[in-house]
Structure formats: structure tokens, C-alpha cells
């Protein structure tokens, strides 16, 4: 991630409830000059706010938990690999309704990430972008 961050920018995600009580998380981002869309189907994994997904590509299972949210403007998520080749995977993510989260929310995220063991260099706020951000019809 630290290698790739130079070419990354923010991406847009849409979250919708899925029939099984999970979430359909669809993200759109720029890759090789094209807008790509990827859908993660998060299955409910017990406690409220906890989900899991299995990557068809890597056959790794990841657990995703919503650590904190105000239900309006932001959510802090933690993703970790629990089975398969991606077992060492750890990621904390800030989801924001806009590309300009309040300073207070960014601080919350930094504190959250540090509490999980991420260092200053591992915490990145990607640049804003207009690419691939338009609403889909
Ligand atoms: C998930 O959401 C995307 C975007 O709204 C949609 O295209 C896709 O069909 C949905 N997938 C499922 C399994 O609901």
C-alpha cells in the first residue's frame, strides 16, 4: 500500500443492505485510466457491525468491522485477514460522506489507526479527485 499510495486517490463507495442482512459495498476507483468498480458482499458475522467476505480471487477470508460511526457523516472500519493467504492483512479505513471530512473526524481516524498499531507513515489521507466520482444514472 505504501508503494502504491503515490498513484492512489480517494475512491467512491456505495453501501446497500443485502438480503442476508449483510452489506453490498461497491467501490469505484481509477485504474489504468479507467473507472473500475468492485463489489464486496459482506456477510453478517455475528455481532452487529461485524461482517466477513471471502475473496474469490485469493480464497482469503477477511473480517470487516465497523468500529465507530455517527450514522451520518463517517464510519471507521477495520479489516483483517482471518483465513487463507491474506491472513496478515490489516487495514483501517475512514469512510466519509464527503471528500472533506472534518479535522475532528480525521483525528479520530488517526487515533483509531494508532490504537491498532499503525504508525504515522502507515496512515495516509489520499488526495481528493473528481475522476470516477459522478453519480451513476
Ligand atoms: C451490489 O450493488 C451493485 C451497485 O449498486 C449492483 O450493481 C450489484 O448488482 C449488487 N450486487 C448484489 C449481489 O446485490
Amino acid at each position: 500500500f505504501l508503494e502504491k499510495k503515490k498513484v492512489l486517490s480517494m475512491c467512491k463507495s456505495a453501501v446497500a443492505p443485502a438480503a442476508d442482512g449483510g452489506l453490498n459495498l461497491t467501490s469505484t476507483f481509477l485504474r489504468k485510466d479507467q473507472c473500475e468498480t468492485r463489489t464486496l458482499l459482506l456477510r453478517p458475522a455475528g455481532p452487529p457491525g461485524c461482517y466477513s467476505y471471502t475473496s474469490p480471487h485469493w480464497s482469503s477470508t477477511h473480517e470487516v468491522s465497523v468500529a465507530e460511526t455517527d450514522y451520518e457523516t463517517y464510519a471507521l472500519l477495520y479489516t483483517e485477514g482471518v483465513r487463507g493467504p491474506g491472513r496478515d492483512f490489516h487495514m483501517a479505513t475512514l469512510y466519509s460522506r464527503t471528500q472533506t471530512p472534518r479535522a475532528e473526524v480525521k483525528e479520530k481516524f488517526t487515533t483509531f489507526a494508532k490504537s491498532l498499531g499503525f504508525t504515522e507513515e502507515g496512515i495516509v489521507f489520499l488526495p481528493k479527485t473528481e475522476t470516477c466520482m459522478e453519480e451513476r444514472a
Side-chain angles (χ1 to χ4, degrees):
F1 173 69
L2 288 176
E3 304 235 307
K4 280 196 207 158
K5 75 177 185 191
K6 297 179 201 78
V7 301
L8 293 175
S9 55
M10 288 191 185
C11 78
K12 180 180 75 174
S13 296
V15 187
D20 64 356
L23 300 173
N24 175 343
L25 181 70
T26 299
S27 300
T28 306
F29 50 91
L30 185 70
R31 182 175 176 161
K32 293 179 185 147
D33 290 330
Q34 298 215 307
C35 293
E36 268 191 36
T37 292
R38 192 157 300 167
T39 292
L40 287 184
L41 293 173
L42 303 176
R43 297 183 313 266
C50 292
Y51 303 92
S52 73
Y53 74 90
T54 300
S55 150
H57 192 60
W58 300 104
S59 71
S60 302
T61 298
H62 289 79
E63 272 179 14
V64 181
S65 49
V66 181
E68 187 180 323
T69 179
D70 67 353
Y71 298 95
E72 293 286 338
T73 62
Y74 76 94
L76 306 181
L77 271 66
Y78 178 58
T79 303
E80 67 181 328
V82 290
R83 269 192 301 282
R87 250 190 336 265
D88 295 333
F89 185 87
H90 296 273
M91 179 174 72
T93 324
L94 167 61
Y95 284 84
S96 170
R97 197 69 86 171
T98 68
Q99 290 194 59
T100 48
R102 285 174 291 137
E104 178 199 326
V105 168
K106 291 170 79 170
E107 270 164 42
K108 267 183 203 291
F109 174 68
T110 301
T111 305
F112 171 61
K114 285 184 178 167
S115 78
L116 293 166
F118 292 96
T119 59
E120 204 74 55
E121 312 83 75
I123 301 172
V124 178
F125 294 94
L126 296 171
K128 293 193 244 179
T129 179
E130 290 309 312
T131 318
C132 308
M133 287 291 167
E134 66 283 354
E135 295 295 324
R136 285 194 299 175

